[in-house]
Amino acid sequence: MGEKPLRILVFGRAGEEITQLRAQGIAVAFAPGITAGSAMAVELGASLTHRDHAHSVRFVTAHSRQGELPANLDWRGLADCETMLVFYMGGRKAPAIAARLMHERLDGATPVVIQEAVSRPEARLTRMTLERLAGPDVFAFGGQPTLIGIGRVFADQAIDARRILDDAVAGQPGKQASA
């Protein structure tokens, strides 16, 4: 009793959690924080709106309440080569996200970073292209919260080597997946 739990909510089930807490008479307050998408960019040394590569950034949920890709997303707008994308909870939907973006004419050579457990000691980072993300050899995610960053700002960023735990596709420790 008397404890004040804190959760930083951007996507996930924030709306449902807030509704449930309020229905139980539990006060809900909000405090400013940093979202995992921004934390990922910081760890990569990437500017999500680098003026040479992007004019905007969009944080996007990777699945609907039914577990499918959200049907009401503006996929054509998301496929803008000058918009950096960060998909939240994207692990299971990664190939479908990539296929949908390429269907809307986003270049298959577009750089992609996938990070599980952002800003935690067990974080795992993999780099690849959008085309490879859509392919059958995409790795299985380890059950950690997964972000997928898509866009040119992820092409040549300095990566903190301690975060690269393995090449998830080839299974070679200490390597990262090549773009």
Side-chain angles (χ1 to χ4, degrees):
M1 293 297 205
E3 293 183 22
K4 297 179 180 178
L6 171 67
R7 281 227 327 134
I8 297 174
L9 306 168
V10 174
F11 287 114
R13 291 161 188 84
E16 292 125 1
E17 290 177 16
I18 292 166
T19 299
Q20 184 68 18
L21 290 169
R22 287 181 175 157
Q24 294 178 30
I26 300 171
V28 177
F30 297 91
I34 183 170
T35 179
S38 295
M40 178 179 73
V42 167
E43 287 186 12
L44 294 173
S47 170
L48 293 175
T49 55
H50 188 293
R51 72 179 72 212
D52 294 335
H53 302 296
H55 59 247
S56 65
V57 61
R58 292 182 65 181
F59 296 114
V60 185
T61 184
H63 56 80
S64 68
R65 184 182 292 266
Q66 293 75 31
E68 300 300 323
L69 286 178
N72 57 349
L73 287 179
D74 174 13
W75 287 98
R76 183 162 296 184
L78 291 173
D80 174 8
C81 69
E82 291 190 16
T83 296
M84 297 308 99
L85 303 172
V86 178
F87 281 89
Y88 283 70
M89 304 172 301
R92 285 180 243 146
K93 295 297 174 192
I97 290 167
R100 184 66 191 262
L101 290 169
M102 288 190 304
H103 175 77
E104 295 296 340
R105 307 281 190 256
L106 188 58
D107 188 346
T110 301
V112 172
V113 293
I114 301 164
Q115 190 164 18
E116 297 177 89
V118 172
S119 72
R120 293 170 36 192
E122 66 273 19
R124 182 170 83 168
L125 174 72
T126 305
R127 295 167 70 95
M128 62 181 61
T129 63
L130 191 62
E131 183 175 42
R132 187 168 177 194
L133 185 64
D137 68 338
V138 111
F139 61 91
F141 296 92
Q144 295 286 341
T146 302
L147 292 182
I148 302 170
I150 301 171
R152 295 185 308 212
V153 299
F154 300 116
D156 295 315
Q157 300 306 321
I159 303 296
D160 180 352
R162 69 183 172 80
R163 294 288 183 195
I164 301 171
L165 301 179
D166 65 356
D167 177 331
V169 177
Q172 298 175 357
K175 304 233 178 194
Q176 73 183 61
S178 59

